[in-house]
């Protein structure tokens, strides 16, 4: 009576790193009158051995079968890309990916599934995902729990330059899943709103006196670069000066 565990010696490591824990406890088979059977499609890709481990019961000691050699080729994979933009002022999601203010926090997530099984995929995907904006890399990440790779790491938001971006996720593949590339996700980053203020010191002065004029250009809370460019200071229609030193 009891259970038999089906285990393997595959080097199926968490995140694709050699130091990760082996996921070699695959599934169990209940025994009825000393025997049992099951079908399973989650054995990892590669060449290794598979054994049956009986845990024993009150009358029978535990034992392990002789190993069986198996070779499993990788299956076709599907990489699904999700783009999330967050307003850094409110923490609320930005639903319109066609108009993302510059400096918004952008998170990229890619999930790896078997093409045939989709959401019912069994097995652990390893390797890495390269996130691309056209031909330009915007980040890489190892595949982790849930067969998901995320860039940037949670708590380290990233931003994208203004303009139209086409983001794809390219999965490297491993012994269980072939490489695949997601469908491109189009998004547009628009310039952030700015507020310009000017102050003079002193505000009352004699003709031809020295006056310090300070200009400040600010944006709503964002994680992008500070404003650059040129500021022109006028009095009425008369231009006093222009400067890019800010």
């Amino acid at each position: 009576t009891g259970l038999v565990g089906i285990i393997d010696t595959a080097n199926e490591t968490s995140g694709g790193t050699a130091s990760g824990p082996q996921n070699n406890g695959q599934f169990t088979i209940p025994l009825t009158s000393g025997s049992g059977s099951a079908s399973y499609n989650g054995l990892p890709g590669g060449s290794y051995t598979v054994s049956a481990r009986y845990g024993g019961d009150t009358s029978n000691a535990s034992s392990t079968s002789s190993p069986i050699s198996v070779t499993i080729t990788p299956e076709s994979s599907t990489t699904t890309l999700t783009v999330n933009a967050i307003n850094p002022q409110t923490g609320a999601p930005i639903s319109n990916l066609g108009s993302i203010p510059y400096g918004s926090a952008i998170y990229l997530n890619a999930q790896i599934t078997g093409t045939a099984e989709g959401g019912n995929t069994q097995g652990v995907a390893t390797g890495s995902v390269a996130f691309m904006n056209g031909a330009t890399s915007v980040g890489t990440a190892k595949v982790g729990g849930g067969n998901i790779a995320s860039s940037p790491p949670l708590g380290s938001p990233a931003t994208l330059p203004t303009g139209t971006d086409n983001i794809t996720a390219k999965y490297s593949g491993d012994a269980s899943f072939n490489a695949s590339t997601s469908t491109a996700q189009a998004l547009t980053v628009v310039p952030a709103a700015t507020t310009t203020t000017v102050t003079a010191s002193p505000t009352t002065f004699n003709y031809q006196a020295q006056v310090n004029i300070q200009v400040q250009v600010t944006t709503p809370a964002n994680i992008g670069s500070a404003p650059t460019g040129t500021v022109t200071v006028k009095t009425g229609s008369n231009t006093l000066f222009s400067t890019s030193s800010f």
Side-chain angles (χ1 to χ4, degrees):
T1 60
L3 298 172
V4 171
I6 304 302
I7 58 176
D8 65 59
T9 58
N11 186 25
E12 184 189 25
T13 55
S14 176
T17 60
S19 60
Q22 286 193 323
N23 298 297
N24 58 0
Q26 294 297 339
F27 68 108
T28 59
I29 299 176
L31 297 178
T32 301
S33 300
S35 66
S37 65
S39 61
Y40 181 67
N41 65 356
L43 288 177
S47 296
Y48 50 88
T49 62
V50 177
S51 302
R53 171 71 175 173
Y54 173 54
D57 60 17
T58 56
S59 302
N60 301 281
S62 62
S63 61
T64 301
S65 74
S66 298
I68 296 174
S69 295
V70 300
T71 296
I72 297 179
T73 58
E75 66 171 309
S76 297
S77 72
T78 298
T79 299
T80 303
L81 171 68
T82 304
V83 178
N84 295 290
I86 304 297
N87 184 321
Q89 291 180 281
T90 63
I94 299 171
S95 58
N96 183 8
L97 297 184
S99 182
I100 302 173
Y102 174 73
S104 300
I106 296 176
Y107 294 95
L108 309 175
N109 298 295
Q111 183 164 33
I112 314 303
T113 57
T115 299
E117 311 100 302
N120 296 320
T121 295
Q122 295 188 21
V124 176
T126 61
S128 62
V129 171
F131 295 94
M132 308 293 294
N133 180 8
T136 302
S137 174
V138 294
T140 59
K142 291 180 179 179
V143 181
N147 293 352
I148 295 174
S150 299
S151 181
L154 190 62
S156 304
T159 189
L160 290 174
T162 55
T164 300
D165 302 300
N166 287 288
I167 309 300
T168 55
K170 295 187 175 182
Y171 171 53
S172 64
D174 63 7
S176 298
F177 298 94
N178 286 320
S180 59
T181 300
S182 73
T183 301
Q185 172 71 66
L187 54 91
T188 301
V189 178
V190 298
T194 62
T195 300
T196 302
T197 57
V198 60
T199 57
S201 179
T203 55
T204 302
F205 45 86
N206 295 325
Y207 176 67
Q208 292 188 333
Q210 183 75 23
V211 179
N212 178 51
I213 296 177
Q214 184 178 54
V215 178
Q216 185 175 33
V217 180
T218 59
T219 67
N222 72 68
I223 60 173
S225 301
T228 60
T230 301
V231 169
T232 299
V233 177
K234 293 184 176 183
T235 174
S237 61
N238 298 318
T239 298
L240 297 180
F241 63 89
S242 296
T243 180
S244 58
S245 299
F246 74 97

